[in-house]
Amino acid sequence: CYMKCEGFALMNNKELGKNLKRLREDKGLSQKELADKLNYTRQNLSKWERGIAFPFDEETIGKLAKILGVSKKELLIKSPRKISKFTR
């Protein structure tokens, strides 16, 4: 089930985790490197990437987006292309 936000679908935890992992790898960062930048443990980051948990506080989301070089929207919201592809 997806929540809607300004006409876009928010990703569920599994999708957020996959997106986070892709963005982290695109930046060439290990889980430990990204976790250290956020003052979290590698285990926390692993849980996020596996969709077990995800940080929903504004500060952490903002830091993640900044470190990964994307907007918060790009980090959290499915693109319209993905939505149409997914819902067909």
Side-chain angles (χ1 to χ4, degrees), residues 70-87:
V70 297
S71 68
K72 288 187 250 183
K73 186 174 179 179
E74 289 171 296
L75 182 62
L76 300 175
I77 300 178
K78 294 174 73 74
S79 71
R81 185 182 81 241
K82 288 183 182 176
I83 293 171
S84 63
K85 187 176 179 182
F86 182 77
T87 57

Side-chain angles (χ1 to χ4, degrees), residues 54-67:
F54 202 80
F56 286 104
D57 63 281
E58 187 75 24
E59 183 180 346
T60 303
I61 297 297
K63 284 180 183 178
L64 269 171
K66 185 175 182 178
I67 292 165

Side-chain angles (χ1 to χ4, degrees), residues 1-16 56 72-79 83 86:
C1 180
Y2 298 93
M3 298 185 323
K4 295 286 183 179
C5 176
E6 299 177 20
F8 291 88
L10 296 176
M11 291 185 252
N12 63 33
N13 277 6
K14 286 270 189 211
E15 291 172 321
L16 285 167
F56 286 104
K72 288 187 250 183
K73 186 174 179 179
E74 289 171 296
L75 182 62
L76 300 175
I77 300 178
K78 294 174 73 74
S79 71
I83 293 171
F86 182 77

Side-chain angles (χ1 to χ4, degrees), residues 43-56:
Q43 290 83 358
N44 286 121
L45 198 66
S46 175
K47 287 179 183 179
W48 302 347
E49 289 186 356
R50 290 182 288 141
I52 294 171
F54 202 80
F56 286 104

Side-chain angles (χ1 to χ4, degrees), residues 29-45:
L29 295 170
S30 69
Q31 283 183 340
K32 180 161 178 21
E33 290 169 328
L34 181 54
D36 287 348
K37 289 176 183 283
L38 296 165
N39 294 317
Y40 279 88
T41 66
R42 185 203 57 78
Q43 290 83 358
N44 286 121
L45 198 66

